[in-house]
Amino acid sequence: MAYALVLAVGTFAGLVSGIVGTGATIILLPVLVIAFGPQSAIPIMAIVALMSNFAKITSWWRDIDWRATAAYALGGIPGAALGARTMLSLPPHLVDIALGSFFLIMIPGRRWLAARSYGIGPWMLVPAGFAIGFLTGIVVSTGPITVPLFAAYGLVKGAFIATEAAASLTVYISKAITFRSFGALPTDIILKGLITGSSVMAGTYAAKLLVERLSIATFQRLLDGVMLISGVALIWAAVR
């Protein structure tokens, strides 16, 4: 029953993420926490994120901005490794609180960033990659931050989805290697990640057919709602 719920939500999460470039973790993580616990959910989500981003990359391969990807990865790879190591030292209830608080903060935070139309060059993606990579290592996903970051770089639609996915893939590889090095990715966790990730990939590939049809404003409202529900649910689970 738990796997059926995870696969159903995973397919929906992949569909949403494939349309706008982010959101899969925010939608799927609370279900993984309920099904497998917070300490297992985060490494599982690292595997899922690898598969989700791979699906987006292969869907929009020709639109990737490799210069932006390389600049982001230069800072993001060491940042993610440091963040993942930090997360492994935290108690489970603090992980829940950190995840929930992050989602709640990013509701106004994403809007604040989006309202300021900053234009950035490739060199600014290096320190931004390190900071976001560190946060990603701790709180699983920082998609709501990377959306305005790559939008400020000037990417839209397929180019945005593909480049954000390629850049994020390097961060998640670093994170997964760190988890594996410290024993947080045993075989059973990898298997659960692969099963869950397969449903996310299916939704992501299907999303390419819809990417031109959904209003960005509509998704942003949906994303805010999901972050609110997920944040409250995770904090409640930690303090009850």
Side-chain angles (χ1 to χ4, degrees):
M1 188 65 181
Y3 275 104
L5 176 62
V6 168
L7 291 175
V9 176
T11 302
F12 173 71
L15 184 66
V16 172
S17 178
I19 292 172
V20 187
T22 188
T25 299
I26 295 168
I27 295 170
L28 185 56
L29 182 61
V31 178
L32 292 179
V33 171
I34 292 171
F36 306 119
Q39 290 291 73
S40 295
I42 294 178
I44 290 171
M45 201 64 229
I47 300 295
V48 173
L50 288 173
M51 298 173 70
S52 173
N53 283 305
F54 178 79
K56 285 183 277 190
I57 290 169
T58 53
S59 293
W60 300 96
W61 177 262
R62 295 181 180 179
D63 296 314
I64 296 175
D65 185 321
W66 291 108
R67 186 182 182 188
T69 299
Y72 184 88
L74 186 62
I77 290 173
L82 180 61
R85 180 67 188 93
T86 302
M87 189 283 297
L88 290 174
S89 66
L90 298 174
H93 73 281
L94 289 182
V95 175
D96 273 351
I97 293 173
L99 290 169
S101 299
F102 176 77
F103 288 158
L104 294 179
I105 291 170
M106 279 314 301
I107 295 174
R110 181 189 61 77
R111 293 176 178 271
W112 184 86
L113 289 170
R116 288 156 176 77
S117 301
Y118 295 123
I120 63 173
W123 66 272
M124 291 187 65
L125 292 176
V126 178
F130 181 84
I132 296 173
F134 179 77
L135 288 174
T136 303
I138 296 176
V139 299
V140 185
S141 173
T142 47
I145 301 177
T146 58
V147 167
L149 176 69
F150 284 100
Y153 182 75
L155 302 175
V156 295
K157 294 188 177 180
F160 163 76
I161 293 172
T163 304
E164 192 276 340
S168 295
L169 184 65
T170 65
V171 170
Y172 285 112
I173 289 174
S174 174
K175 182 175 179 177
I177 291 173
T178 303
F179 280 149
R180 184 68 175 176
S181 299
F182 287 94
L185 270 181
T187 302
D188 66 312
I189 293 294
I190 293 175
L191 182 60
K192 290 175 181 176
L194 292 173
I195 292 172
T196 306
S198 65
S199 66
V200 175
M201 288 184 74
T204 300
Y205 283 126
K208 188 175 182 181
L209 303 174
L210 304 174
V211 74
E212 299 287 349
R213 302 179 184 179
L214 183 67
S215 163
I216 297 297
T218 298
F219 173 75
Q220 288 175 339
R221 287 192 291 269
L222 173 64
L223 185 60
D224 285 346
V226 171
M227 285 193 293
L228 175 62
I229 294 171
S230 299
V232 171
L234 288 168
I235 293 175
W236 173 256
V239 301
R240 67 188 173 92

